[in-house]
Amino acid sequence: MSFLLIPLKFSLDLKKNGSEIKGHFILKFLGIRIFSKEIPGDEKGQDDKEEDKKEGKKDEFDLKRILKILKLVKNSWPHLYRLIIVFYHSVNLEKFSLNMTLGMESPADTALFTGYIWSFTYPLNAITRIHAVITPDFQRRVLDGDLQVDVSLKLFWIVAEAIRAYTKKPVRELIQEARS
C-alpha cells in the first residue's frame, strides 16, 4: 500500500504546425517510464471500428437504460461527489505551458476572440503555474502551437475513497448497470 503514496507523473507534449500534429505522452512512477506513446498513434483502432460498422454492429440507443443510469447517478451522487473532490485534491499541476498562434477569417474576429482568451489567461499566468501565450495572426486563418503539461497524481486517497464509494449500494448498482 505504501506505493500509493508516491505520485504518478503524466507528461504530455503536443506540437501542431499546419496539418501536422506530433506529440508524446509519458507515464512515470519513481522516475521510471511505465508507459510511453507517440502521437499520432497507430490507425489500427479506427480500422477495427470501420470493420465493425461494415459487419452491421451498431451502438443501440436505449432510452430506458439511459434514464435508469441517470437515476442511479442521482442516487449515488453524494459518494461520487466525494470521489471527485478527493481526485481534485490529489492532482498537482506541475507545468502547463501553451504557446498558440491564432488567426481567423476576419481580423476583427481574430482580435475579439484573442481578447477573450487573454482576459482569462493573463490573470492565470500571474497566480498559477499556467503559462499561456496567445499570438494573434491577422493575415491568415491559422491555429498552431505547442502544449506541454506535466501532472502528478497521488493515488492513496483516490483508492481509499473509491473503496469507500464502492461499499455503497447505489454506486455498485451504477457500476453494474454501466458495465452491462
Side-chain angles (χ1 to χ4, degrees):
M1 289 291 288
S2 63
F3 71 90
L4 293 175
L5 295 173
I6 301 168
L8 286 172
K9 301 214 181 220
F10 300 91
S11 295
L12 177 66
D13 185 16
L14 287 174
K15 295 182 188 322
K16 181 183 180 298
N17 190 5
S19 63
E20 181 180 346
I21 297 175
K22 289 186 178 180
H24 199 77
F25 174 76
I26 300 172
L27 173 63
K28 291 183 180 180
F29 182 70
L30 289 172
I32 300 169
R33 184 180 297 176
I34 296 173
F35 179 78
S36 178
K37 177 84 172 162
E38 289 291 327
I39 301 170
D42 298 337
E43 301 296 328
K44 293 178 184 177
Q46 293 178 356
D47 293 338
D48 292 340
K49 289 179 183 176
E50 290 174 7
E51 288 176 13
D52 288 345
K53 288 181 182 178
K54 289 178 184 176
E55 293 175 7
K57 296 180 183 177
K58 294 183 180 179
D59 294 333
E60 294 183 21
F61 180 76
D62 185 9
L63 184 60
K64 289 181 183 179
R65 183 168 180 259
I66 292 172
L67 291 175
K68 183 177 180 182
I69 289 174
L70 288 175
K71 183 180 178 187
L72 290 171
V73 167
K74 179 184 170 204
N75 292 341
S76 54
W77 178 248
H79 313 295
L80 296 177
Y81 179 76
R82 288 182 59 177
L83 183 61
I84 292 168
I85 295 298
V86 166
F87 184 82
Y88 173 76
H89 289 294
S90 298
V91 172
N92 182 19
L93 182 64
E94 294 178 352
K95 180 180 182 182
F96 183 92
S97 177
L98 175 66
N99 186 1
M100 184 170 70
T101 303
L102 174 70
M104 300 179 99
E105 296 286 331
S106 162
D109 291 340
T110 301
L112 184 67
F113 197 68
T114 305
Y116 287 145
I117 295 173
W118 281 345
S119 69
F120 289 107
T121 58
Y122 281 108
L124 290 175
N125 286 345
I127 60 174
T128 65
R129 296 179 187 167
I130 294 176
H131 176 74
V133 176
I134 313 307
T135 307
D137 187 344
F138 298 107
Q139 303 299 321
R140 60 192 171 113
R141 184 177 179 186
V142 64
L143 179 61
D144 290 339
D146 303 330
L147 173 68
Q148 296 175 343
V149 179
D150 292 334
V151 175
S152 67
L153 177 67
K154 292 181 183 174
L155 295 175
F156 181 76
W157 294 112
I158 295 172
V159 170
E161 189 59 38
I163 291 170
R164 180 181 298 156
Y166 191 73
T167 62
K168 308 303 181 194
K169 186 176 179 180
V171 176
R172 287 193 311 268
E173 290 174 350
L174 173 64
I175 292 170
Q176 183 180 15
E177 183 63 31
R179 290 182 71 190
S180 63

